[in-house]
Amino acid sequence: YPSSWPDNIAGETPHAAMADEITALVRASFHRDFIGVHSEVGENGQCMIYLKKAASHVGVNGRSYEAAMIEAKAITRLARATGKVYGVGAIILTHGECDAGNSDYENELYQLWSNYDADLPAITGQKQKIQMIVSQQNSCNDYSASTLAQWKVGVDHPADIVCSGPKYQYPYAADGVHLIANGYRELGEKYG
């Protein structure tokens, strides 16, 4: 710690449970399988300054956005090589503690979504807008600027960003910041 892509995963993430939930929903509704790809390019415990487009590289930090573009190019190339289509359905943002006092956080979230929604379709060729799903941080001041911004950005931009809600109901590790494996699984099911 700190760590960034590709060494940023130290345990359970919400993505396996999210993938399972999406596949189960598609099977139940459309009676077919669903193949998805999940990418984890976050930077553990870092503020928005390291997650945004054209972030400064400081040590291992500042590579999240760039990593998302690298992975999108690679996955698009692999999909095309097998005759499949690839597009990005959603950007999942489990974030906010570091930006708890950031009064410009809502604008920064929307700018991050705007950049992803412009740059990723240019790679994948998709016409569909990309959804951003944010969850409210719960471990730094329950009523912090970031917690309110995570809700408000979804209210102000409902076609683009959805706030999946709080995380206080999930089981936390002893540090009170990170969820335990079951908590991340439950969060992933909600994201799905």
Side-chain angles (χ1 to χ4, degrees), residues 40-102:
E40 175 69 59
V41 296
E43 299 200 8
N44 302 343
Q46 302 306 306
C47 295
M48 185 63 77
I49 192 168
Y50 291 116
L51 306 179
K52 66 184 183 177
K53 181 176 182 175
S56 296
H57 293 185
V58 178
V60 299
N61 298 117
R63 293 168 173 81
S64 179
Y65 195 90
E66 179 183 355
M69 298 306 120
I70 290 168
E71 289 201 358
K73 288 173 186 173
I75 296 165
T76 299
R77 186 179 67 250
L78 291 169
R80 286 183 181 149
T82 61
K84 299 199 181 305
V85 175
Y86 171 72
V88 177
I91 301 294
I92 310 303
L93 192 65
T94 307
H95 184 261
E97 290 83 359
C98 184
D99 283 296
N102 181 350

Side-chain angles (χ1 to χ4, degrees), residues 142-171:
D142 290 341
Y143 302 105
S144 73
S146 66
T147 303
L148 294 175
Q150 289 160 331
W151 164 77
K152 194 164 183 318
V153 74
V155 171
D156 292 345
H157 306 282
D160 308 321
I161 302 173
V162 172
C163 177
S164 68
K167 293 190 290 287
Y168 63 82
Q169 69 274 27
Y170 299 128

